[in-house]
Amino acid sequence: MTSTKAAALNLVTDHGASLGCAHCGQPVAGEGRFCGPACADAHALIHDLGLDAYYARRDAAAPTPTGEEAAPLDLSAAVETLPDGSHCLRLLLDGVTCGACVWLIESALRREPGVMAARVNLTTRRLSVTWSDAVEGKAERLAGIVRRLGYRPAVAGMDGVGDPHKQAERELVRAMAVAGFGMMNIMLLSVSVWSGHAGSMGDATRTLMHWLSALIAIPIVAYSARPFFRSAFNALKAGRTNMDVPISLGVTLATSVSLWETARHGEHAYFDGAVMLLFFLLIGRFLDARARGRARSAAEHLLALGRAPVMMLNDAGMAVPTAPAQVPVGATVLVATGERIGVDGTVADGVSDIDTSVVTGESHPQPARPGDRLFAGMVNLSAPLRLTVTACGEGTLLAEIVRLMEAAEQGRARFVALADRVARSYTPVVHAAALTTFLVWVLWVGLAWQSALFIAVAVLIITCPCALALAVPAVQVVATGRLMRGGILLKSATALERLAKVDTIVFDKTGTLTLGRPDLLPDPAIDMVDLELAATLARASRHPLSRAIARAAGPGPVADGVREVPGAGLEWQGPDGPVRLGRRGFVGPVRVPGGLIEGPELWLARPGRQPLRFTFADAPRLDAVAVVADLRRRGYRLALLSGDREPVVAAMAIRLGIADWRAGVDPAGKAAALAAMKAEGRHVLMVGDGLNDAAALSAADVSASPGSAVDVAQTAADAVFQGDRLAPLAELLEVARRADRLVLQNLGFSLFYNLCAVPVAMLGHATPLIAALAMSSSSLVVLGNALRLSRRREVRT
């Protein structure tokens, strides 16, 4: 290992954990941290200049790389400036195969000055790096660090071209086809050799068959094993190892031993086994890649929704196809019937129905009229529209949702940290186990070195920790994608883990158990003429009670000259005199009827007639009774804390069957009540208004809030569920508990597999071929178990 590569490796390790020099890894005499002054100076230079500048200085005399490594990477589309002034780089990575890769990349990037956070998602192979300083060329330096560690960064284009996942799958298919073709031909030759072992085949003929097999096998291995060889070479070149190092070593050893036996005119050659081993390794890698693709974040799907060009009107009034990211704010775009909207904007002209399910989770089409806000990813169903662009590219709501999902998928829950720690320490253990196995069989048992070598190869392959590294991320990705499809957005990476522990649920009333949208109550004293008169005034106001009257009356005209008196009501000069709609004191003396209904009210005053009272109620969500009953059946303790009046809160609690309720509780009182519950040892979920109940939401162990995706960046909750129903809350809790069980199952299976498979391989009961099948199958079992979470269970109502 060169000194520069050793420096790169030691830069990202804990100095106290090494038994050698903190720079080059060589033995240290005495109590020092370095083996000599040169290493001490080099190590200090790394910390003074940074890893990138250190490489630039040390490698200045090296020849310029050619080909793919020399090609500059345009990172302009991958860098985003965040609201707080920091910058974020998002890349796709090729060559990330295990938890050790994740740890190495993250550690190297976090050592760079100014870097605030770095996270690699093993399942999606996406890198996200955030830094605070505005140094020019910072993104290129960060990408250079990743490249020098042996990984290939890429920026996914808007059309998906250049996605390393798709390129890797195509390469695996080609390699698998070549290996399968070669395996069948070598097996035909091997059948002849096996048939001749009875004595009918001479040594010269057998050797000829072996050479023919070698002529087929060696080019096959050189071509089909490239995915493994390239990954292993890049890792070793950067002074590290990964899971492909033992696999490459095993395939190379099997082929080399066979060639050695053929050159010595030996009786046994294993070209058929080497190529078959490679073929099944490729099958496992391909199936693993496809399963990862299925488990890959729903964010992949969301990103694809914004790639289609939009029709932008230019200065001449011509519609020009334009990439969504290149549309300027304020431009006008045309959205045809059946077309997916590619930008955020407001309706400038046209009336249509919109499929909003991507953003809101709502399955029923929603009307869109001039002035309404629409977002990228929605589908125009009924009629053409013109939109005035308010955001495009990374500034759209869809992009914000994708960022939240990736943050949730990439978070480090305690199980992720455990799996990463185990995975990154496997390499020395695996190599030591394989070497020990070889020496024991040769020196102690007395087995021929060729056979002992094949047993060691089986150990190298069967101990690959793919299943362990995938145990947690695969579940996180599937769970996040399922919740997104149900209109639930996770804002916290550890929310699922905390939700799985919840035993107490505390509800707010207004806007949580209810819609927060008052509805006009039916009253026989109000006829359609009175309602329409009130509506002609109400349509001129955005007040919630005025909008409730307008909804009840339906579409209609707006009176000219309506004047809104802040905090009082609406006034209009009608043909017969002034007409007022508002509070009691605003409309004049009123006669309050007996048996007054508690709740909001508006009064309508007309010339020559008694004021007419309109009453309103904030009704519970349609499925609130059923969902609350279902949560109670699951064993959750339920409570209701509201700042509303006691009669209203009591009526709601009785209607929903919540025995523990309190009225007139302000935000500070809610936070105190939650703190008391936590002091009793309960794990509390607070469900409330994410914009107004921030203190109470923060006081709970975990929090959820109803709201639209528009509010998701402002709400203080860990999760936001959308729509007019409460069922997403039950779905969120169900997914969290199932995800927790699946993570434990995956970790348990991975540990059980290694505890069983390693002794079997070391005892010589597993050939390299069986080891390849077992290793691939373990990864597929873990991924398949995670994909079970995508199946929905019906919630009892």
Side-chain angles (χ1 to χ4, degrees), residues 9 12 68-69 73 91-109 120 122 125 127 142-154 164 230-245:
L9 179 62
V12 295
E68 181 181 356
E69 292 185 357
L73 193 63
L91 294 173
L92 300 172
L93 297 184
D94 187 25
V96 178
T97 55
C98 61
C101 301
V102 172
W103 166 79
L104 182 68
I105 296 170
E106 292 177 355
S107 301
L109 291 173
V120 177
L122 178 62
R125 296 186 175 99
L127 166 67
L142 295 174
I145 291 176
V146 174
R147 188 181 291 109
R148 273 190 286 272
L149 288 174
Y151 304 95
R152 291 183 293 175
R230 182 170 54 245
S231 174
F233 175 75
N234 288 335
L236 293 174
K237 184 175 68 172
R240 62 180 182 85
T241 60
N242 63 8
M243 58 174 281
D244 287 331
V245 171

Side-chain angles (χ1 to χ4, degrees), residues 551-725:
R551 281 198 309 271
V558 181
D560 292 330
V562 176
R563 183 174 67 94
E564 184 161 5
V565 180
L570 304 168
E571 184 176 26
W572 173 62
Q573 190 65 36
D576 301 326
V579 179
R580 290 183 174 183
L581 177 69
R583 300 176 60 182
R584 294 185 192 182
F586 177 65
V587 301
V590 298
R591 185 171 58 190
V592 180
L596 181 65
I597 301 174
E598 291 283 351
E601 63 178 10
L602 285 179
W603 292 79
L604 176 66
R606 300 144 297 174
R609 298 180 61 182
Q610 286 292 329
L612 186 64
R613 182 173 184 255
F614 294 87
T615 56
F616 305 84
D618 191 4
R621 294 176 183 262
L622 293 177
D623 60 346
V625 175
V627 171
V628 169
D630 178 65
L631 294 175
R632 192 184 307 109
R633 281 196 298 267
R634 296 189 196 179
Y636 292 106
R637 299 174 65 176
L638 306 179
L640 172 59
L641 300 178
S642 176
D644 212 337
R645 293 167 295 169
E646 184 171 337
V648 179
V649 178
M652 179 64 66
I654 293 171
R655 182 172 181 177
L656 299 180
I658 300 177
D660 183 5
W661 60 271
R662 294 182 226 173
V665 185
D666 60 13
K670 293 178 183 179
L674 294 171
M677 293 180 186
K678 291 171 63 177
E680 296 173 4
R682 302 196 218 173
H683 296 280
V684 183
L685 163 64
M686 175 67 193
V687 187
D689 186 339
L691 302 177
N692 300 325
D693 284 335
L697 295 173
S698 301
D701 293 291
V702 63
S703 56
S705 174
S708 70
V710 183
D711 306 322
V712 72
Q714 289 80 36
T715 181
D718 295 305
V720 176
F721 59 92
Q722 305 171 72
D724 293 340
R725 306 178 70 85

Side-chain angles (χ1 to χ4, degrees), residues 68 90-98 102 105 120-128 151-157 160-174 227 230 285-301 303 307 406 409-410 470 477:
E68 181 181 356
R90 294 183 176 87
L91 294 173
L92 300 172
L93 297 184
D94 187 25
V96 178
T97 55
C98 61
V102 172
I105 296 170
V120 177
N121 188 308
L122 178 62
T123 306
T124 63
R125 296 186 175 99
R126 285 184 176 272
L127 166 67
S128 176
Y151 304 95
R152 291 183 293 175
V155 180
V161 176
D163 187 341
H165 307 315
K166 300 186 186 307
Q167 294 177 358
E169 282 193 18
R170 288 194 290 268
E171 182 184 26
L172 286 172
V173 170
R174 291 193 297 268
R230 182 170 54 245
R285 180 62 58 88
F286 174 74
L287 293 176
D288 175 77
R290 293 302 297 269
R292 286 174 187 259
R294 283 194 60 196
R296 195 168 294 144
S297 159
E300 297 282 343
H301 171 67
L303 286 173
R307 289 173 180 164
E406 290 184 342
E409 292 168 359
Q410 295 173 355
L470 289 170
V477 169

Side-chain angles (χ1 to χ4, degrees), residues 320-372:
V320 181
T322 309
Q326 298 174 358
V327 177
V329 174
T332 299
V333 299
L334 301 179
V335 184
T337 303
E339 184 179 352
R340 191 176 295 277
I341 301 171
V343 295
D344 290 0
T346 57
V347 179
D349 184 43
V351 176
S352 183
D353 294 315
I354 305 295
D355 178 1
T356 64
S357 58
V358 167
V359 175
T360 66
E362 176 61 53
S363 58
H364 299 291
Q366 303 297 308
R369 299 179 178 84
D372 290 347

